[in-house]
Amino acid sequence: MEKIQMTTPLVEMDGDEMTRILWKMIKEELLLPFIDLNTEYYDLGLNYRNETDDQVTIDAAEATKKYGVAVKCATITPNHARMDEYDLKKMYKSPNGTIRAILDGTVFRAPIVVKGIEPCVRNWKKPITLARHAYGDIYKNTEMYIDKPGKVELVYTSEDGEEKRALVQEFKAPGVAMGMHNMTASIESFARSCFNYALDTKQDVWFGAKDTISKTYDAKFKEIFQKVFDAEFKEKFEEAGLTYFYSLIDDIVARVMKAEGGFIWACKNYDGDVMSDMVSSAFGSLAMMTSVLVSPQGYYEYEAAHGTVQRHYYRHLEGKETSTNSVATIFAWTGALRKRGELDGNQALAQFADKLEEATLSTIESGKMTKDLALITSIENPTVLNSRDFILAIREALEKML
Ligand code: NAP
Ligand code: MG
């Protein structure tokens, strides 16, 4: 069989620990035999980040701007323990944080739905994609204890000296107070990312906030979404047969529980933090969640939602067998290859991505899976495979299909 050719390189960001091991296996068994893989490789493994003072992370993000599509392996975000373990020069920032700061944009997370791994919510038939705004609100707040009676005010002073004041509370007794903010530009680009991604994946957008209570702050979110939608997306949505729907966040939550899925749920920062954990655990497993960062300029970075699976890696180092689920990492690759294929008009590449996904899902549906899935599957007597054998089983299914 002739290998599939690629015209534009994919930005490849390698990572750490168990996912780095899976990364290599996926390339060797599922990609390189079939594709003349054209990637620009960046080693985001912690050792090389340390060697380059983290310059490699910045270079990888810049390359993503140049080529438009990247695929990333999970990486360690250093803490004190990692400083010693890797003898680091300093406590580098989270690579995802660095990349997001350079590309801007919104992270979309979607569960991989497969027969045999049923969501806890019976009526969920299709994935629910969660879009979380990644800037501001309580993640950039200022708060204080109030120890004795007194007045808390919100004061704004413009650069040219104009002042606005609002009373927060006349405290007669001790309490707490908080100030937070967001930026019009950030909310606009969040809205744009959601609508673009909706057109891309042919899904409706649902957005919920609490504008009945927060008549200025949340009302601003609602207003900006509507303004961006009307000005830039209304016609495109009509053509594609899609809808944008705003409601109060509590109403949206109630509807989500009754819906069958297949839409994008846009959430403010805090709502997204909470709801993404609910959606992912209700769908089954963190090892079955994909994640893609979409910038307002239309750059894409695909990855798995889980981390480097450190505990499994230590077992691996001890020479023990591991059964680590590679599905989300495989889907990061297929997402990136399909997008590259679409952008380059390279049908063979996009079709390969579809086939590899099908082969992965049919392997699980045939009862062959890793331990994490075997524990939750409704399939009787599943075959539990180790990390490598699971990937080899997918290769076998893929070869039959091609
Ligand atoms: P984790 O790697 O997501 O793993 C937590 C636990 O979840 C594992 O111990 C395992 O449970 C289960 N799990 C996750 N992915 C799995 C998979 N593919 N197959 C089977 N089981 C899986 O989170 P962590 O251990 O808290 O973090 C490890 C490192 O990852 C940290 O250094 C952190 O900084 C980094 N991290 C990176 C990213 C990223 O790059 N996007 C995201 C999160 C965390 P059992 O042990 O019970 O089997
Ligand atoms: Mg959280």
Side-chain angles (χ1 to χ4, degrees):
M1 200 188 80
E2 237 177 77
K3 286 193 191 184
I4 296 162
Q5 299 297 310
M6 291 175 64
T7 44
T8 318
L10 193 63
V11 178
E12 174 186 352
M13 307 183 194
D14 207 344
D16 288 301
E17 300 196 309
M18 200 59 214
T19 40
R20 189 180 178 98
I21 309 281
L22 298 178
W23 194 261
K24 190 160 175 281
M25 289 183 197
I26 292 168
K27 281 177 70 178
E28 284 174 0
E29 301 296 341
L30 302 178
L31 303 174
L32 291 168
F34 310 101
I35 306 174
D36 206 351
L37 202 61
N38 179 1
T39 70
E40 198 163 292
Y41 179 86
Y42 293 87
D43 184 0
L44 266 54
L46 190 49
N47 283 322
Y48 195 64
R49 272 185 276 152
N50 191 42
E51 221 173 278
T52 61
D53 299 308
D54 211 20
Q55 184 62 38
V56 64
T57 308
I58 296 165
D59 292 346
E62 291 298 338
T64 307
K65 278 185 169 174
K66 180 173 168 196
Y67 295 113
V69 188
V71 57
K72 180 180 170 292
C73 179
T75 47
I76 293 168
T77 298
N79 54 17
H80 286 287
R82 301 296 198 168
M83 294 284 288
D84 297 335
E85 187 183 351
Y86 285 82
D87 193 17
L88 299 181
K89 289 184 252 176
K90 58 180 211 196
M91 195 160 3
Y92 301 100
K93 284 195 213 149
S94 139
N96 286 24
T98 303
I99 294 166
R100 206 150 52 219
I102 294 173
L103 299 181
D104 193 6
T106 302
V107 174
F108 296 86
R109 287 192 162 184
I112 297 156
V113 175
V114 54
K115 278 191 219 99
I117 312 294
E118 318 305 342
C120 307
V121 182
R122 257 178 295 139
N123 42 284
W124 287 359
K125 303 279 183 255
K126 297 179 204 160
I128 293 169
T129 303
L130 209 127
R132 173 181 170 188
H133 186 209
Y135 179 83
D137 300 352
I138 64 163
Y139 302 87
K140 263 187 168 296
N141 72 353
T142 308
E143 39 186 39
M144 62 170 76
Y145 291 113
I146 308 301
D147 303 321
K148 51 189 181 188
K151 188 162 66 171
V152 174
E153 287 180 288
L154 204 54
V155 182
Y156 159 76
T157 318
S158 75
E159 278 183 359
D160 57 13
E162 191 192 303
E163 199 178 272
K164 279 200 246 183
R165 275 171 184 272
L167 178 69
V168 174
Q169 178 70 354
E170 283 271 2
F171 282 86
K172 306 276 185 244
V176 281
M178 174 170 86
M180 63 183 199
H181 80 282
N182 220 298
M183 310 290 284
T184 300
S186 173
I187 304 167
E188 282 172 358
S189 70
F190 174 47
R192 251 175 226 125
S193 297
C194 289
F195 294 138
N196 273 323
Y197 194 65
L199 289 171
D200 226 46
T201 56
K202 303 190 178 45
Q203 299 185 85
D204 295 336
V205 175
W206 296 13
F207 177 46
K210 197 71 182 175
D211 64 296
T212 44
I213 301 297
S214 171
K215 290 182 178 10
T216 305
Y217 198 110
D218 277 26
K220 192 75 191 167
F221 277 78
K222 177 183 177 184
E223 176 201 315
I224 289 173
F225 261 71
Q226 197 61 51
K227 204 180 74 191
V228 170
F229 181 74
D230 289 342
E232 302 168 34
F233 293 94
K234 202 168 190 240
E235 282 168 23
K236 290 181 205 157
F237 266 56
E238 272 166 18
E239 275 166 32
L242 299 175
T243 54
Y244 163 58
F245 170 60
Y246 173 88
S247 189
L248 290 168
I249 179 74
D250 40 352
D251 178 48
I252 293 278
V253 168
R255 285 169 188 263
V256 164
M257 299 312 286
K258 300 273 182 199
E260 67 164 35
F263 52 87
I264 294 166
W265 183 6
C267 285
K268 289 178 63 200
N269 210 349
Y270 173 82
D271 299 336
D273 187 352
V274 177
M275 293 307 168
S276 65
D277 281 10
M278 185 194 75
V279 170
S280 65
S281 35
F283 267 106
S285 159
L286 201 58
M288 297 291 281
M289 286 293 276
T290 60
S291 181
V292 55
L293 173 71
V294 182
S295 86
Q297 293 80 19
Y299 309 130
Y300 292 77
E301 186 235 84
Y302 293 83
E303 66 170 338
H306 60 77
T308 60
V309 212
Q310 181 181 15
R311 239 168 50 89
H312 295 209
Y313 180 59
Y314 289 160
R315 282 182 60 85
H316 171 82
L317 289 183
E318 287 169 22
K320 292 185 184 148
E321 193 166 78
T322 59
S323 180
T324 314
N325 188 336
S326 47
V327 172
T329 306
I330 294 170
F331 273 62
W333 273 100
T334 51
L337 290 169
R338 183 184 300 106
K339 177 53 72 183
R340 192 67 275 162
E342 282 168 15
L343 292 175
D344 295 346
N346 186 342
Q347 269 203 13
L349 192 62
Q351 279 167 1
F352 174 81
D354 293 342
K355 295 237 167 73
L356 178 48
E357 288 183 0
E358 259 179 76
T360 305
L361 299 181
S362 69
T363 302
I364 297 170
E365 285 166 3
S366 76
K368 295 177 201 159
M369 58 192 79
T370 45
K371 191 174 150 201
D372 57 310
L373 296 183
L375 290 171
I376 56 170
T377 186
S378 58
I379 295 173
E380 277 173 38
N381 305 318
T383 310
V384 180
L385 298 177
N386 66 34
S387 307
R388 172 172 291 282
D389 286 347
F390 177 63
I391 288 172
L392 291 177
I394 296 170
R395 178 169 177 171
E396 204 183 302
L398 180 63
E399 277 172 342
K400 274 191 200 136
M401 287 170 61
L402 290 172

